[in-house]
Structure formats: C-alpha cells, structure tokens
C-alpha cells in the first residue's frame, strides 16, 4: 500500500451543501473572500504567468493554455484568507468551462507542503453551474489560499467564475452511506452446491420468515432466520438466513425478509469463472516501462511510463538518494505498487509470490493466451509472463558486485516528492531515487527468485538460473547484514514500508531456497527457525510485513523431503480451523474479526481464506472449501455496507479507488479501475482526511468510502489483487475427487526411471483413463511404456484406453531427465479430471 504526499495528509475533502444549508451558512459568518463578485476588477486575485485575468460581463475569465501536464501548471487564486481551527465553513462559487472541463478547487496552505484543507473537483459545463461545499478547518491560519488549479489539458479552453464566497458558521454535514436493502447477499451469486447465506439487518430479536424468489417473482424456497444479536464489527442487530438447500441454477434471484428485498443474484456453477482472469488482468495496466495497448485493454491505453521520455526523468538510470550510493541502476519495468508511481520490493515480493503460488497450486489451470497480454502466444502461461514482468524488476534492484552491500536489494524506488491526482505515469516529472538497501527487501528477493527458479525452469533455463544465482547472493548478503531496516520516516514521495522484524522473511526465504535446491543449509535454517513450529496464524492474517506464513504454506504443499513434513501440513490445518471458528461465530460469515479493521482489511480476509483453501487441498474436507466460498460472500456484498469491493462485480461495487490514472472521478476523460480490481476496504484508523471528515467514530465495517481521495480505505494495490487472484482461481476449481490412489516411485538423479501405479479405490470400472500431474521444476519425460505420455511445461499427462476395475490397478513408467535440484515425487494426481483422494 502507499501513503500519499504531505499535501494529502491534511486534505479535508468536500461535502456538497444543499441550498438551504448554504443559505444558513451565509447568514452565520462574515465573508472571507475579497471581491468575489469582481465588481472592482480582478484584484486581489492572481494567476500564474501563463494566464491573463480579465472581467467579462461581470465574471473573472481567463484563457487556459493547452499542452500542460499537471493541474497546478495553471492556477488562479487569492491569498491571505484567515481560517479558525474547528470552524466549519461554507465555500461556494459559480464557474463555467468552454469546452466542459474538470478543475480543482482548493483551500490550502500557501507554502510547501501546500497542505489542502478542502479539495473539490467540479465538473464545469459551458453554461455554468453553482458549486457549494463545507469543510472544517483543522488549524488556525491567517493566510490560507483559495486557488483553482486548471492545468493538465492538451487543448486550450476558457474558464470563467463569479460569486466566490467563503463564510464560517456552517453546519457540518452528516455522512450517511446508502446501504440499500437490509437483506445483504453476495450480489454476484452462489454456487449451486456451495453454502448460501445472507444477513438481515433488523431490530427484531426473534426469528423472521424469509422467502427466496426467482426472476418471475415466484417463491421457490422459504424458512426462518436465526437471530445473531449485535454484530460488534458493524454495530448492527442482525439475523442470518441459510438457503444452502436450494440448488437450482438461475438468474436474478432475490430474498425477502422483514419487509426488505435483497439485491438480485445468480445461482450458477460459473459465477467465478471470469474472476481469476480479471483479477490477473489488473497487472498489465499496472505495468511500468511499457506502453499499455488500447487494443489489448480498450479504454486503458497509455504511453509507457518512466522510460526517460520528457517530462519523465525515467527509471532507466536511477540514482540513489544523496549519500546512499555512488551508482545508478536501470530499474525500468515492474508494476506500479498502488495508485501512485512508486515501486517497492517488499510489496512486490508478496504480490509476485502469490501469482506464482497460484500457478504452482495447479499448473494446468493457467494457459497461454488467457490474459490477452503482449506476451500471449509465446508458449508460456500468461500468469508466468505477468509474474516475470515484476520479477525482472526485483532482480534489477539488487546491488551490483563490487559495490557496498553487494547482493542486497534496494528497498524501493519512487518520486523524490509526492505528486497529485490525477497524473498519468508518462507525465510524472519528478526525479526518481533509489532508497537504501534493507534486509527485508533482500530476503523478499531471495524468496521470490528461488521460487521463480523452479517455476521458470521448464520454459527458460537461463532465466531460472539467473534467479537462482540472485537468490543465493541475496541470501548471503542478508545473512551478512541481518538488521538493515527501512527508515520508518522515509515516507516522502512514497510509502516507508518499514519492518523491524525480519525473522519471518528469513524463514520464508530459507523455505523457498530449500524447496528449489534441497540443500542442507536451507533445510537446517528452516528447522531451527522459531517460525517453523510457532503459531504464525494471526487473527489479522498474513501480509507484506508478516511472511512466515508463505514459507509454511509452501512447505506444506510443494513436494519436499522435510523430516517433519506431516507436522507442517497439520499446522496449516490447525490455522484453517482457527479461521473457520472465527467465521462460524461472525454474523456476516467473516473469517477475520479483530476489534479494529486494518488498512487493506479485504486482503487480510482473502489471505485467511488462502489458509482455509490450502487445508481443503491437504484434506479434501468440504468444510474448508465451503468456508472459502462463504468468505467470498463478504467481499462481494454480504457486508454492512451492502456493496461489492471488486470493480465490475455486483450491482453496487467499488469504482473510485485511489489512483493517479484510474481517476475518472476527477477527470471524466480517464477510466475507472479495470474490472476485477479489489478495494482495500474498511480501515478503522481512517488516516486520510476525507475519511476523518466523514467517518469519524465509525464501526469497523463502516470505516470505508468509495471515493478517490480516501487512500486509507479505498486504495488499490498489487498485493491486494494477488490474494484475490489466488482465491478466485481456487473457487473456479470445482474440486471433484476421484476414487483412486497413485503410487509414484523414481530411481536415479540426472537421468531417472519412474514407475506409476494407479489403483481404483471406487466401486465402478474406469474405462479408459487420463492421469495428470506436475513436476517440481525442469524435469522432462523422455521415454514411456504402458501409457502414452505428453508434457507441457511441468505438466505431464498419461493416457491409456485400458480399463481399471474396482480394487485393481494398472502400472506404467517412463524415463526422464532432471537438469538440477531435487526431484521429489509428485503428490497431486488427477484421474480423468478428478483429484485422487
């Protein structure tokens, strides 16, 4: 996640006034604006050197030049406006634009850091409109500025304004979110065979009748609710209703209870089929250093950002902050971390890890051409192509040989100063800087590079080797510098991402290096780490600063020879049980319930669901899969605000996430975030001024507003979409089980011979079969017998027309090659599409 510039830290964004409220305010306080009607000319109003102010038919007008990049490139303003701390002001004006434009109306500090006390984005028409806002001053100030920022247009236009007024004594507006009907459902829908629950907000304390109706308004199921009392996370008295027994597919179902009817939803086996691709497609439009093609993403095309083309200073030769190093690095590429232009190794690490982990869970589920990206058609799964875009950036952040701290990774790279919204990446004029190395960043690089080494080996041996070499260097450098922590005060122009406990990153990195190499050094480190046996399953979930869970999950699921592997797998099941118990107790079915919700709470919810999904993979027990399905209901509408947090999914969904280029709310010429973008969600700390203005005293689930200026509650980030991609891919896996058991044995190292026995443990004959599994890394099948084998990447498919009768088995074998590293027996086999039990 990112933190916004100092100017935004004190932003108190507008709330529109009704005419009655504005009139009341006008009666309460003296006028603060001098010559707001322009009866005496233009003074004391001023403009930047590129505009000439004039009075035209009683209005102040100016011709605004085209070809400017930023809103602040053209300004009209008035100085020396007094403000009183705690006073609520009514601010209003009339303005027109020819042709129609969006401007920025600000009341701010007149010097750096230009702290904004009110920020509005009026959409001005040719005929002109009146605009009214309220804000409460957080400080007393004798000399604030009223300014209109009017730059950033490619074409020239004309601006006129009149009746500018600022008066104290206004009544503060009370923010009431529109939560719609009191029956809360997953607005996307439910799987026919999955759990189907809804939450009813009501004052009733006894059970209520409910009805499920189809699109023709016919009642198809009914029952009674279960009172749950007051939900601490929302402050609401709620009931739960369960219609899991109804399984008939259909569209536009609704539920009626307590006189309220829910928003419509579907029941269908394919409700999540598009979500994994949409969640992954988010990353292409987050790319830095490459043109985003409108032909691939209609409406999202833009020039390449930060490639050294003016006004960019670029990422092709980035110097360090003063005193940090004496070299520059080419760190072009990677993903922009969030809604700003920063790129961070620690946040990039968990993000690219989760994309690669989703692939490693089921390599056959991801195809070439799936995401419609520039690399589609190259014979490699698109998800790996997208992950590589970020992984190559992470590699580029490693300190070169011969330099101080060689092998370590720079913590981050971003602008020297914060920029405002909106600002397309290719128009960012700020100097870019490398920040000091950190142990956390170095270990993130070691972990993801080790993971990439095994996953890319079947497709690009040279890239795999490059990653493994980088991982080894990073590991050695981190061991030599185990306590280089990011400065918590290094937050100008980008987030600090500070972390003063990196024992979890050491454990994660050692786990990935062990899985890839099988080497004793890394196994011994894993076994000695306190994170290996400790309870790492936080109520709040794992995230970029808590990564031991990543190592534990991979040690449990990726084949390896760890001596206590059974205990590791059992510990994941215990973590899942913990989250399952939290979910069962929560009236909204939420597997996350701290007393206060964290920044990015939605990604923590999803990460807890990853643990439960992994438990299903390990055990096949339906309760874990059902828990993941129910947890997704919260993300898609079964919540206190009755809204989906994924853009484009559900009747009411987040669409104004904080971003400098998905900034439609500020500039109608720019798009909203792409379909499949997750919002961070409720955040009890409400750090941004808009949230502080509107949400003060909020219950955790209500600490959210879908507004572009609410960077604390409504940001988008690469590490929030990564668990969405992982979980949605899990949800599209129908999880069928086959009655079979597979025994796989292999002998030899570089060249090996394997024998596979398939046993039919069911009651019916298997008449012709196809068995699928995946190798760990770059192993290749060379010669087969007893079945016909084919291979794509790491995925091997064996086929035969023979029969397998109940209680009987068939055997086949092959010779193979293993270029390097361990060669563990595969552990997951799919027979005729179903996973062997």
């Amino acid at each position: 996640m990112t933190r916004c510039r100092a100017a935004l830290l004190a932003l108190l964004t507008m709330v529109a006034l009704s005419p009655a409220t504005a009139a009341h305010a006008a009666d309460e306080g003296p006028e603060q604006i001098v010559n707001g009607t322009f009866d005496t000319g233009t003074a004391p109003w001023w403009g930047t050197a590129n505009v000439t102010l004039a009075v035209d038919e009683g209005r102040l007008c100016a011709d605004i030049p085209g070809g400017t990049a930023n809103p602040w490139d053209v300004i009209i303003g008035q100085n020396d406006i007094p403000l009183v701390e705690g006073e609520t002001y009514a601010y209003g004006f009339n303005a027109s634009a020819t042709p129609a434009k969006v401007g920025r109306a600000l009341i701010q500090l007149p010097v750096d850091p230009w702290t904004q006390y009110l920020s509005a984005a009026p959409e001005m028409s040719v005929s002109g409109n009146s605009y009214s806002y309220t804000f409460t001053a957080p400080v007393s100030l004798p000399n604030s500025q009223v300014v209109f920022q009017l730059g950033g247009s490619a074409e020239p236009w004309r601006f006129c304004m009149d009746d500018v007024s600022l008066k104290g004594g206004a009544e503060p507006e009370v923010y009431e979110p529109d939560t719609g009907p009191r029956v809360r459902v997953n607005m996307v829908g439910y799987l026919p065979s999955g759990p189907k629950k809804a939450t009813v907000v009501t004052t009733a304390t006894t059970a209520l009748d409910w009805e499920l109706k189809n699109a023709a308004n016919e009642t198809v199921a009914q029952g009674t609710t279960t009172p749950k009392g007051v939900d601490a996370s929302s402050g609401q008295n709620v009931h739960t209703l369960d219609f899991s027994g109804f399984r008939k597919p259909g569209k536009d179902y609704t539920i009626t209870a307590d006189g309220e009817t829910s928003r419509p939803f579907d029941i269908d086996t394919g409700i999540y089929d598009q979500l994994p691709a949409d969640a992954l497609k988010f990353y292409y439009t987050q790319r830095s250093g490459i043109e985003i093609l409108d032909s691939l993403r209609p409406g999202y095309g833009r020039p390449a950002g930060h490639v050294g083309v003016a006004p960019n200073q670029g990422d092709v030769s980035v110097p360090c902050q003063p005193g940090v190093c004496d070299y520059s690095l080419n760190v072009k590429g990677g993903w922009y971390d969030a809604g700003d232009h920063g790129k961070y190794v620690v946040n990039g690490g968990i993000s690219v890890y989760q994309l690669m982990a989703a692939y490693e869970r089921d390599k056959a589920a991801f195809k070439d051409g799936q995401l419609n990206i520039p690399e589609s058609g190259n014979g490699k799964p698109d998800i790996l192509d997208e992950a590589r875009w970020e992984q190559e950036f992470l590699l580029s952040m490693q300190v070169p040989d011969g330099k101080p701290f060689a092998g370590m990774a720079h913590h981050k790279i971003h602008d020297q100063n914060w920029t405002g919204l909106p600002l397309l990446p290719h128009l960012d004029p700020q100097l870019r800087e490398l920040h000091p190395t950190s142990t956390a960043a170095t270990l993130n690089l070691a972990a993801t590079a080790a993971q990439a080494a095994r996953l890319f080996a079947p497709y690009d041996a040279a890239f795999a080797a490059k990653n493994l070499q980088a991982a080894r260097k990073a590991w050695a450098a981190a061991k030599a510098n185990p306590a280089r922590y990011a400065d918590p005060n290094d937050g100008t122009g980008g987030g600090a991402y500070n972390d003063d406990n990196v024992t979890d990153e050491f454990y994660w990195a050692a786990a990935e290096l062990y899985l890839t190499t099988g080497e004793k050094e890394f196994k011994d480190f894993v076994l000695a780490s306190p994170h290996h046996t400790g309870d790492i399953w936080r109520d709040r979930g794992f995230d970029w600063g808590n990564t031991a869970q990543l190592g534990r999950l991979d040690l449990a699921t990726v084949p390896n020879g760890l001596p206590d592997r059974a205990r590791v797998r059992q510990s994941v099941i215990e973590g899942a049980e913990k989250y399952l118990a939290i979910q069962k107790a929560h009236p909204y079915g939420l597997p996350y319930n701290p007393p206060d919700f964290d920044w990015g709470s939605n990604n923590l919810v999803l990460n807890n669901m990853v643990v439960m999904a992994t438990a299903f993979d390990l055990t096949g027990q339906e309760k874990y899969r059902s828990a993941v399905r129910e947890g997704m209901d919260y993300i898609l509408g079964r919540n206190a605000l009755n809204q989906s947090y994924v853009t484009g999914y559900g009747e009411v969904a987040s669409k104004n996430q904080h971003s400098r280029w998905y900034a439609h709310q500020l500039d109608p010429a720019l798009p909203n975030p792409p379909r499949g973008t997750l919002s961070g969600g409720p955040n009890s700390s409400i750090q941004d001024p808009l949230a502080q203005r509107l949400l003060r005293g909020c219950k955790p689930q209500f600490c959210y507003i879908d507004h572009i200026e609410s960077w604390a509650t409504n940001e988008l980030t690469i590490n929030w979409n990564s668990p969405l991609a992982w979980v949605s891919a899990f949800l599209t896996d129908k999880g069928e089980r086959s009655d079979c058991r597979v025994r796989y044995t292999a002998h030899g190292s570089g060249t090996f011979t394997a024998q596979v026995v398939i046993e039919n443990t069911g009651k019916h004959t298997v008449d012709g079969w196809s068995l699928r599994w995946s190798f760990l890394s770059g192993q290749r099948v060379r010669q087969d017998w007893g079945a016909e084998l084919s291979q794509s990447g790491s995925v091997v498919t064996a086929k035969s027309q023979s029969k397998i009768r109940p209680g009987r088995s068939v055997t086949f074998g092959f010779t193979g090659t293993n270029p390097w590293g361990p060669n563990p027996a595969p552990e997951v086999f799919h027979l005729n599409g179903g996973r062997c039990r």
Side-chain angles (χ1 to χ4, degrees), residues 629-653:
R629 292 171 171 178
E630 184 176 353
M632 201 65 184
D633 296 344
Y634 169 84
I635 298 293
L636 296 175
R638 186 189 167 200
N639 52 56
L641 288 169
N642 198 14
Q643 73 147 83
S644 165
Y645 290 111
V646 181
T647 302
Y649 281 80
E651 186 176 284
V652 178

Side-chain angles (χ1 to χ4, degrees), residues 5 67-73 152 304-315 319 336 340-341 414-433 493 660:
R5 67 186 176 100
T68 57
N70 305 297
W72 53 87
D73 291 340
H306 298 97
V307 291
V309 176
N312 274 179
Q313 299 190 42
D315 289 352
Y336 295 118
D340 66 303
H341 303 131
H414 57 64
D415 291 340
Q416 188 178 55
N417 296 292
W418 283 110
T419 57
L421 285 74
L423 182 64
L424 288 165
H426 69 287
L427 299 177
D428 176 16
Q430 285 284 329
L431 174 68
R432 309 278 277 176
E433 293 178 321
R660 283 161 175 74

Side-chain angles (χ1 to χ4, degrees), residues 211-220 252 254 256 261:
E211 291 182 293
L212 175 67
K213 297 185 178 183
N214 61 20
N217 204 36
E218 300 166 335
T219 299
V220 294
D252 295 329
T254 56
T256 298
T261 299

Side-chain angles (χ1 to χ4, degrees), residues 303-349:
H306 298 97
V307 291
V309 176
N312 274 179
Q313 299 190 42
D315 289 352
V316 294
S317 182
V318 179
C320 283
Q321 288 180 306
V324 170
C325 74
D326 63 356
Y327 53 83
S328 296
L329 293 181
N330 181 349
V331 292
K332 173 186 170 184
W335 300 319
Y336 295 118
D337 177 73
D340 66 303
H341 303 131
K343 298 185 293 189
Y344 309 83
V345 172
V346 293
N347 215 42

Side-chain angles (χ1 to χ4, degrees), residues 15-39:
V15 177
L17 279 170
S18 67
T21 304
H24 174 75
D27 293 338
E28 292 296 326
E31 180 61 67
Q32 306 280 77
I33 300 294
V34 178
N35 190 23
T37 56
F38 310 105
D39 295 333

Side-chain angles (χ1 to χ4, degrees), residues 477-489:
K479 287 179 66 179
N481 300 276
R484 281 187 61 82
Y485 303 130
D487 182 356
N489 298 312

Side-chain angles (χ1 to χ4, degrees), residues 110-126:
V111 295
D112 190 35
W114 312 102
T115 306
Q116 299 166 0
Y117 308 118
L118 179 140
S119 173
E123 298 183 21
M124 298 174 289
S125 66
V126 174

